[in-house]
Amino acid sequence: MTSTSHLTPGAEAPAPVPPLRRNRDFRMLWVGAGSSLLGTRVAVAAYPLMILWGGGTPADASLVAFATLLPQLLFVLPAGALVDRWNRRRAMLICDAVGFAGMASLVVALLFGEVWLPHVMLVAFLDGTAVIVYRLAERASVRHVVHPTHLGAALSQNEARGQATGLIGQPAGTALYSLFRWLPFAFATVTHLVAFVTLLTVRRDLQGERVTPRRMLTTEIAEGFAWVWRHRFMRSAILLVGGSNLAFQVINLTLVLIIREGGHPPYMVGLLGLLGGLGGLLGALGAARVMRRVPVQAILIGVLALWAVLIALVAVTTLPAGLGALMGGMAALGALLNVAAATYQIRVTPDAMQGRVTSVFALIGSGLNSVGALLGGVLLSAAGTSVAALITAAGMGVLALLALGVPSIRRAPVE
């Protein structure tokens, strides 16, 4: 028999929190965002096929790829500030409408055999911009549809969703294009429609009350940078994560070269991607359980240290299966760190700053990727794959030691 002697006479025990799987609003938000993301991944996989198999040149394909990625450079910071200004639900609905219209226009163009490169570039650019706004708004909205104790589990499921769509998107886009040229874009059109409808069914508000008056957009963007800079743990952590992303650009190219130099067929590179995706999915699914037992600063230090070990093993591994296992392990650790960092950031950031702070993380965390790609080419040309892997492992080890030695990391504020 359960004792109730600790309750005040006449007081009622707090109602139990329903499990996350019974949270209808979170399910609808999760399904809609996953649908939209999958459609975009399928379309991105089909862009080069449409251009190259439609009579275009590699230069044409590179222009479409450039148009797809350019919004990440131009708009991630303004998008963060605008997400903090706008109604988040309305912003996501507009993004889905833009994606729906753009993909539907490509279906019509392909059905009539009138594919025009500037049209494709415009659709890729607009859809890429919509994806940025949608992701920032959706991530900031999660805390408003789940109980605080479920935030880590919710973000773990979001990370798993991202890993799964990445795993499915490439082969699905290729398979659909093989059936009909217009089919990947028709699929993306339907997924944007599904996302639009499911978002309309979410009942709860997706933001708190806006009490701060609007100022110049540049001022609001600067406030996001200033907030991150004042938070010593987040400032140190994002710089360490940015350095690790630079290192992984080197390792990604190293793995491809090891496969080629070993005389293995090109599809083995796809096998590495598959195993990496599976590892990321498993890491995301297990992240909430790890986070209940391990604090975020220990996760950051441990992941950097384990990455250093796994990257060093790349230098002495030549079999594709072994490389795939290492890739899967690194991806699993990356997914765990992504979930832990996102959970911490959302919990400590004021609701009115969510978009801007997330956009700062996105810019700094991924801003070194292009530098890493250039560094990888120079390092591999000068030193070869084994030495490049060892140098990269040493760099990752230095990041782990810095994380261990920096007081702002070791003594992270309690959430």
Side-chain angles (χ1 to χ4, degrees), residues 228-292:
V228 173
W229 184 257
R230 287 193 301 269
H231 197 291
R232 296 177 62 205
F233 172 74
M234 295 176 75
R235 179 182 69 202
S236 301
I238 192 57
L239 291 174
L240 290 169
V241 171
S244 70
N245 285 345
L246 184 152
F248 272 109
Q249 295 303 310
V250 179
I251 287 303
N252 289 339
L253 185 55
T254 300
L255 290 170
V256 174
L257 285 180
I258 292 174
I259 293 293
R260 193 193 71 178
E261 291 173 358
H264 302 292
Y267 68 79
M268 286 296 180
V269 176
L271 176 63
L272 295 186
L274 177 63
L275 293 175
L278 290 173
L281 181 60
L282 293 174
L285 292 173
R289 185 174 302 173
V290 174
M291 289 162 52
R292 285 195 291 268

Side-chain angles (χ1 to χ4, degrees), residues 350-396:
D351 185 62
M353 298 282 292
Q354 286 288 338
R356 283 168 285 177
V357 171
T358 303
S359 68
V360 171
F361 268 56
L363 182 67
I364 298 176
S366 302
L368 294 177
N369 284 353
S370 57
V371 177
L374 293 175
L375 177 62
V378 172
L379 187 57
L380 288 164
S381 299
T385 54
S386 295
V387 175
L390 290 174
I391 291 174
T392 307
M396 194 69 78

Side-chain angles (χ1 to χ4, degrees), residues 89-279:
R89 186 197 307 270
R90 189 178 301 125
M92 287 189 283
L93 289 171
I94 292 172
C95 289
D96 279 322
V98 169
F100 175 88
M103 294 301 158
S105 72
L106 287 181
V107 173
V108 173
L110 286 164
L111 287 173
F112 285 92
E114 297 291 340
V115 177
W116 188 40
L117 181 62
H119 173 210
V120 179
M121 291 178 62
L122 178 62
V123 171
F125 180 82
L126 292 176
D127 194 57
T129 303
V131 165
I132 291 171
V133 176
Y134 193 102
R135 287 184 182 177
L136 290 172
E138 191 248 349
R139 178 161 155 172
S141 300
V142 172
R143 66 188 295 183
H144 294 278
V145 297
V146 302
H147 191 271
T149 58
H150 291 158
L151 182 60
L155 293 175
S156 177
Q157 291 188 27
N158 283 3
E159 178 71 16
R161 178 191 65 196
Q163 296 286 344
T165 55
L167 196 63
I168 297 170
Q170 178 74 37
T174 304
L176 292 172
Y177 186 88
S178 299
L179 294 174
F180 299 102
R181 294 179 63 201
W182 50 267
L183 196 53
F185 307 103
F187 178 84
T189 302
V190 173
T191 59
H192 282 300
L193 180 60
V194 170
F196 189 95
V197 173
T198 54
L199 186 57
L200 288 176
T201 67
V202 176
R203 297 167 182 164
R204 299 182 213 184
D205 289 334
L206 302 182
Q207 62 202 52
E209 184 181 357
R210 298 289 192 261
V211 294
T212 305
R214 292 185 180 181
R215 296 167 303 284
M216 290 181 61
L217 192 63
T218 52
T219 301
E220 295 185 359
I221 292 172
E223 286 177 349
F225 273 103
W227 194 92
V228 173
W229 184 257
R230 287 193 301 269
H231 197 291
R232 296 177 62 205
F233 172 74
M234 295 176 75
R235 179 182 69 202
S236 301
I238 192 57
L239 291 174
L240 290 169
V241 171
S244 70
N245 285 345
L246 184 152
F248 272 109
Q249 295 303 310
V250 179
I251 287 303
N252 289 339
L253 185 55
T254 300
L255 290 170
V256 174
L257 285 180
I258 292 174
I259 293 293
R260 193 193 71 178
E261 291 173 358
H264 302 292
Y267 68 79
M268 286 296 180
V269 176
L271 176 63
L272 295 186
L274 177 63
L275 293 175
L278 290 173

